[in-house]
Every structure is written in structure tokens, then in C-alpha cells.
């Protein structure tokens, strides 16, 4: 020991306690941005604690104090050097107008890949039901889809004509269940990206198979208008939301595989993280809306609600969604150069 | 940055090194169980609060409850990790904290990613994938941690040592024995010095018989380790010898 420990502690402890208090204040409000004077004081106290730790490093017989100082320095380091990575306060309005659509466009290749998989699944599902009607029993996820579409449509329209609002006493429950279930499925599609994308791939394809099988079943039974009126109001949002989950999964998978990137794995995953979060957040938001629409609009049929109105609503909604994702937050620079510069494929 | 003995060492741009102690899977399991119990209890209370909604409309009440449970179960970890700088209540109790793997400040995106990916860590059952990943990974990262670039560290309670523990050691018989003091400082490991300090610091909290046994063991250890001559400790109690040893280890006379 070449340091007088009690003198050292007595002299330095007030500064450590001030640093500790400053760090605690920051910890109490994760969104807090420091005023310049406070930031300077924090940096000064941190530098001093670093110097104290460096002095103690050589004195092996003082682990307690060293551990205490290490903890202080670690917390200070995280705050001072982590400010750049932490980003500012989350602003929902800005995120909706710019953050989310820009994240979507930055990773649009992954979206098209998810879309292609769902279309391939749809073709497979439609083909399976067309060539082997018994496949319907295996593919259809819900029992009410197993019957004859024409019979179901007749039953639904008869009930609507008689003014019978079937399921009216459980609309909110149904909406809540849909929101939770679909959000869970979408988040799972994202999480399965960590299987190098295999799980996400299977999930996208499987969803396409179900969709293709149902579509072909109703179209073949001459119920295309009913199908469009039933699916479009919520499907025009729900299906893109599930695709966004798949997109997020493939972004994760892309970071894991790192085919085009020379960055280390941890850096690739870190770079993908914010976009994955944005995509999942956007998908969850869309699914809340889709749950409400599916429960409170999609289940109403002609003559209570004209199919043309439902189809028009679904198409308008899809157009708005496409505009939002494609155009919202596009940089004003000529040719969209600013956004392209930040870009990078999936 | 390096990892050794389940510690992650970080060197700052100022050239100072600090380390994080990687949390063991057992501690993490404990924290998870506490959080699970907390969510269950919170849900019981929340369900009671929301039940009157069902009197107004059973359907609306049920719909709200389904969504509320989902938000509570999936959102608790994210919000707690973010609001409490990487800690949920369970982690607080177990003295664990989620930190950025580079030692930097945890971001909101990191909190979300590591918690949204729990699904994959739970596969095929009982956190098997996440548990195996944490055991195999040098930084103890489950898949969610890997994707988010986070680690879970153990933070034992540490306070700055109180120098008054040493008291007034004007009559320390070890002082003046330069060779012996040098030997003591050279041979004593940080853990041993710390143990002796703590034994003095907590003197009043230890039962008299246990205290005698503890000081006897420490005195015998230091006598053997530094080959302290009998003549120097003749007539000293074990406690006094420990005080003298700690004094020469931690204090420099001007």
C-alpha cells in the first residue's frame, strides 16, 4: 500500500457520493436529458472517479473500495459514453410519421421475401384444396371453415336479413382475443428469425397455405364477393401486419447470417435491433386496429352491411396503408437521396 | 473487452478497466420466479379492479381483461427493464441488472428485443433453449440477449470502506518491522484482506463465541502466511493481531 487509505477515502468520498447521486438522478428518469452544466459536472466527477480507480488498481489489498469504485465508474461510463447510442425520448407521433415507415423501407427486401413466401403458400394451399378436397380438413384452422361456403353464406345472410346480430354479446371479447392472438403470432414470426429464418419462413408459408385454401374454397363455391367483403376490411391490415412480423424475422435472420456484411455478429444484430423493434411496434399497432375491425365490421354481412361498402372500406384502408408505408416520412431531398443514403437492403 | 471467469472486463477510453460479474443461470431463474409471482399477484389485483366493468358490460369487461393480461405479462419486463435501468423487481431482489454488452447505457430497443425474443428462449419448454445458450455462452447470454447485445450481471452490495473501522492503532507492534510488513502486503490476497476488514467492520454483529473463533482463525492464518515471529505477537489477543494486520495492510503512516 502506498496510499493512505483513510485520508484517501476522506478526501474523495464526497465526490464519489456526488457522482453516485447524479447517476441516481439520471437512473430515476431514463428519458432525462442533462443540462450542460450538470453534464460537465458529471463528466468531471466521472473522470475523477476513473483517476481514483486507476490509483487503486495497483493496491491489491483493497478490493472492497475497488469494487465500489468500479461500480461507480461502470455506471458513469454507461451514461457518458452511452448517450450517443441511447437515443432521445421516444416520440410516438414522429415514430408513426417517420420512424416506422422509414424502417419498413430500409428493410423492404425482407418484406418482399415474406410476401413471396406467403403467396407461394397461398398457391400451394389453393392447389391442395383444388386437387384434393379432403386436404381441406387438414388445412383449415377453424371448424366453421370446414363446411360448404355456400351454406355458410346463406346462413349468415339469412341471419342478417332477420336482424339477428349473431355474436353481438361477445364482440369485445372476440376483438381482444384477436388482438392478443395475432400479435403473439406476429411476434413469434419475428422471434423465429433467430432460427436463421427457417421458423419465420415456415410460418409465412403456412399462413399463405391457409389463406390460399380458404380463398379457393369460397371462389370455387361462387362466393367471391362474400369472401372479399368478409376478409378485406380486416385482412387488408391484418395480413400486412403479419408480413411485417415476417419482415422483422428476416431482418434478424439476415443479421445472423450476415452474408453481405463484414461486421461482427454482435454489431450486425445491434444494427438490426431498432428496425426490428419499429417493425414489431408497427405490426402490433395495425393488429389492434385489425382486431377491432374484424370483430365489429367484418362479421356483419348483407343485407345489414352491403358488401360493396365493406370492400370499398378494405380497399381504401389498404391504399392508405400502402401510402403510409411507401411515402410517409420520405425525405424531401431531390430523388429521396437522403433516405436512400441511409438505406441498405434486408 | 474480455471475458474471464464469467466476468466481462471493459476498458474505457480513459484507460481504466472495470468488470461485470456475469449472473449465474440459477440467480436469473430466481429473479424470473419472483417476477412471475409478481405478475400473478398484480394480475389478481388488476382483475379485481377490472371486474366491475363486467357488471356494466360483460363483453367489454372480458375484452379489456384479455388485452390487459397480455399487456401486463408481455410489457412488465420491458417497462421495468427500461424504467429501472435494466432491473425488474425480481432482478432487484437478486441483485441482477441487464446492461449493454459493451458497458454502455441500455437502450429502449435493447429492452424490447431481449424481451420479445423470450418466446424462442422458452422453446421447446421451460426455457431450455435460453438456458442452454446462457450456459454455453461465455457472457451468459440467452438468445434474446445475443440479439439485443445485452448481458445480465450480478451486482453485490458494495459500499466504500469506512476508514474509522481501523480505529487508533498508535501501538501497533507490527509497525517498524519493515520486512514483515512487506511480506504481509506481498503474501496477502485481496480476498483475505477484505475478509479481515469485514470481520472488524462487523464485529458487533457477530456472536461473541463465533467472533472469537473467527478472529482466532484469521490470526492463525496471517501468522502462518507472513511467518510472524511469536515474540511480536506475545500477549496480543487474536482480535488485536487482526487489527494490527489490517492496519498495516490498509494504512500508510505519514
Amino acid at each position: 500500500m502506498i496510499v493512505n487509505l483513510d485520508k484517501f477515502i476522506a478526501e474523495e468520498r464526497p465526490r464519489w457520493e456526488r457522482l453516485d447521486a447524479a447517476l441516481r438522478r439520471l437512473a430515476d428518469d431514463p428519458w432525462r436529458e442533462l443540462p450542460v452544466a450538470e453534464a460537465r459536472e458529471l463528466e468531471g466527477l466521472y473522470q475523477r472517479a476513473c483517476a481514483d480507480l486507476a490509483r487503486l488498481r495497483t493496491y491489491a489489498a483493497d478490493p472492497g473500495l475497488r469494487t465500489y469504485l468500479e461500480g461507480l465508474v461502470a455506471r458513469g461510463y454507461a451514461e457518458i459514453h452511452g448517450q450517443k447510442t441511447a437515443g432521445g425520448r421516444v416520440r410516438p407521433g414522429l415514430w408513426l410519421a417517420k420512424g416506422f415507415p422509414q424502417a419498413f423501407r430500409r428493410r423492404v427486401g425482407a418484406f418482399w421475401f415474406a410476401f413471396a413466401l406467403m403467396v407461394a403458400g397461398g398457391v400451394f394451399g389453393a392447389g391442395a384444396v383444388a386437387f384434393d378436397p379432403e386436404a381441406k380438413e387438414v388445412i383449415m384452422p377453424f371448424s366453421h371453415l370446414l363446411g360448404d361456403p355456400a351454406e355458410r353464406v346463406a346462413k349468415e345472410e339469412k341471419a342478417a336479413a332477420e336482424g339477428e346480430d349473431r355474436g353481438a354479446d361477445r364482440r369485445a371479447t372476440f376483438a381482444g382475443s384477436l388482438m392478443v392472438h395475432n400479435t403473439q403470432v406476429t411476434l413469434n414470426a419475428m422471434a423465429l428469425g433467430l432460427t436463421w429464418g427457417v421458423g419465420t419462413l415456415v410460418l409465412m408459408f403456412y399462413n399463405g397455405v391457409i389463406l390460399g385454401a380458404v380463398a379457393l374454397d369460397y371462389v370455387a363455391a361462387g362466393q367471391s364477393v362474400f369472401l372479399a367483403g368478409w376478409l378485406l376490411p380486416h385482412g387488408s391490415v391484418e395480413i400486412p401486419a403479419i408480413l411485417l412480423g415476417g419482415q422483422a424475422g428476416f431482418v434478424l435472420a439476415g443479421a445472423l447470417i450476415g452474408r453481405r456484411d463484414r461486421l461482427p455478429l454482435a454489431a450486425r444484430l445491434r444494427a438490426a435491433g431498432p428496425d426490428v423493434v419499429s417493425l414489431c411496434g408497427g405490426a402490433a399497432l395495425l393488429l389492434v386496429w385489425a382486431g377491432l375491425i374484424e370483430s365489429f365490421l367484418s362479421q356483419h354481412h348483407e343485407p345489414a352491411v352491403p358488401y360493396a361498402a365493406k370492400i370499398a372500406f378494405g380497399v381504401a384502408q389498404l391504399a392508405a396503408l400502402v401510402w403510409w408505408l411507401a411515402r410517409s416520412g420520405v425525405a424531401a431531398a431531390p430523388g429521396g437521396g437522403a433516405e436512400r443514403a441511409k438505406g441498405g437492403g434486408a | 473487452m474480455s471475458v474471464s471467469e464469467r466476468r466481462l472486463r471493459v476498458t474505457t477510453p480513459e484507460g481504466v478497466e472495470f468488470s461485470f460479474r456475469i449472473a449465474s443461470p440459477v440467480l436469473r431463474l430466481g429473479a424470473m420466479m419472483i417476477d412471475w409471482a409478481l405478475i400473478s399477484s398484480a394480475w389478481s389485483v388488476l382483475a379485481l379492479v377490472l371486474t366491475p366493468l363486467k357488471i356494466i358490460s360483460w363483453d367489454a369487461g372480458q375484452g379489456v381483461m384479455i388485452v390487459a393480461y397480455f399487456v401486463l405479462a408481455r410489457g412488465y419486463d420491458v417497462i421495468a427493464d427500461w424504467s429501472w435501468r435494466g432491473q425488474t423487481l425480481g432482478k432487484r431482489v437478486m441483485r441482477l441488472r441487464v446492461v449493454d454488452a459493451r458497458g454502455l447505457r441500455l437502450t429502449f430497443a435493447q429492452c424490447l428485443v431481449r424481451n420479445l425474443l423470450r418466446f424462442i428462449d422458452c422453446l421447446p419448454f421451460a426455457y431450455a433453449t435460453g438456458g442452454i445458450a446462457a450456459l454455453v455462452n461465455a457472457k451468459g447470454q440467452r438468445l434474446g440477449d445475443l440479439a439485443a447485445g445485452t448481458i445480465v450481471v450480478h451486482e453485490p452490495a458494495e459500499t466504500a470502506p469506512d476508514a474509522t473501522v481501523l480505529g487508533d492503532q498508535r501501538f501497533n507492534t507490527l509497525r517498524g518491522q519493515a520486512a514483515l510488513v512487506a511480506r504481509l502486503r506481498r503474501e496477502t490476497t485481496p480476498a483475505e484482506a477484505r475478509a479481515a476488514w469485514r470481520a472488524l467492520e462487523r464485529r458487533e454483529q457477530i456472536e461473541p463465541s463465533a467472533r472469537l473463533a473467527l478472529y482466532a482463525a484469521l490470526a492463525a492464518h496471517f501468522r502462518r502466511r507472513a511467518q510472524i515471529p511469536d515474540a511480536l505477537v506475545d500477549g496480543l489477543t487474536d482480535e488485536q493481531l487482526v487489527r494490527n494486520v489490517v492496519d498495516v495492510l490498509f494504512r500508510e503512516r505519514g
Side-chain angles (χ1 to χ4, degrees), chain A residues 149-173:
Chain A
E151 274 177 29
R152 182 198 166 195
V153 172
K155 204 188 286 179
E156 299 275 9
E157 289 179 350
K158 184 169 174 266
E162 288 169 357
E164 185 191 339
D165 188 3
R166 297 201 301 170
D169 56 342
R170 49 186 169 81
R171 292 252 187 267
T173 307

Side-chain angles (χ1 to χ4, degrees), chain A residues 45-333:
Chain A
L45 291 169
Y46 164 71
Q47 299 285 3
R48 181 81 183 208
C50 282
D52 290 343
L53 181 59
R55 281 179 76 192
L56 280 177
R57 272 253 156 252
T58 46
Y59 314 136
D62 191 20
L65 177 58
R66 205 176 61 202
T67 311
Y68 169 79
L69 268 180
E70 276 196 6
L72 263 186
V73 168
R75 285 163 58 205
Y77 173 74
E79 291 300 337
I80 287 167
H81 293 278
Q83 283 291 341
K84 282 182 201 159
T85 60
R89 194 177 288 269
V90 172
R91 292 179 174 84
L94 196 65
W95 173 77
L96 282 172
K98 285 187 173 179
F100 167 52
Q102 284 177 352
F104 169 80
R105 292 194 291 271
R106 266 196 299 276
R107 310 286 183 170
V108 76
F111 179 84
W112 288 124
F113 184 53
F115 180 73
L117 280 167
M118 198 176 265
V119 169
V123 171
F124 179 86
V129 172
F131 291 110
D132 179 12
E134 285 179 13
K136 199 171 144 182
E137 280 183 37
V138 181
I139 294 172
M140 297 298 187
F142 306 111
S143 56
H144 71 271
L145 294 173
L146 286 172
D148 178 14
E151 274 177 29
R152 182 198 166 195
V153 172
K155 204 188 286 179
E156 299 275 9
E157 289 179 350
K158 184 169 174 266
E162 288 169 357
E164 185 191 339
D165 188 3
R166 297 201 301 170
D169 56 342
R170 49 186 169 81
R171 292 252 187 267
T173 307
F174 185 46
S177 306
L178 287 169
M179 287 174 203
V180 167
H181 174 262
N182 291 338
T183 305
Q184 192 64 61
V185 169
T186 303
L187 294 179
N188 291 351
M190 179 276 289
L192 285 167
L194 278 186
T195 58
W196 284 272
V198 175
T200 309
L201 188 146
V202 171
L203 209 58
M204 290 298 109
F205 188 81
Y206 174 65
N207 273 286
V209 170
I210 295 170
L211 207 58
V214 171
L216 185 106
D217 199 30
Y218 277 71
V219 170
Q223 302 301 333
S224 310
V225 177
F226 174 89
L227 178 75
W230 169 45
L231 285 186
L232 267 177
H234 66 274
S236 57
V237 172
E238 186 184 287
I239 295 166
I242 292 171
L243 287 170
L244 285 171
Q247 179 185 14
F250 290 128
V251 169
L252 262 186
L256 264 184
I257 297 163
R259 191 166 52 88
R260 279 184 256 170
D261 237 326
R262 287 176 185 275
L263 290 170
L265 173 65
R268 293 198 305 265
L269 287 168
R270 208 162 28 239
D275 284 348
V276 167
V277 166
S278 262
L279 292 171
C280 288
L285 202 66
L286 290 174
L287 287 168
V288 170
W289 177 247
L292 290 170
I293 298 298
E294 182 169 2
S295 184
F296 290 98
L297 177 61
S298 296
Q299 308 306 321
H300 292 283
H301 306 289
E302 266 188 350
V305 181
Y307 291 136
K310 289 174 75 180
I311 292 169
F313 176 82
V315 171
Q317 198 174 231
L318 183 61
L321 178 62
V322 169
W323 180 87
W324 183 26
L325 293 174
R327 302 301 307 160
S328 186
V330 171

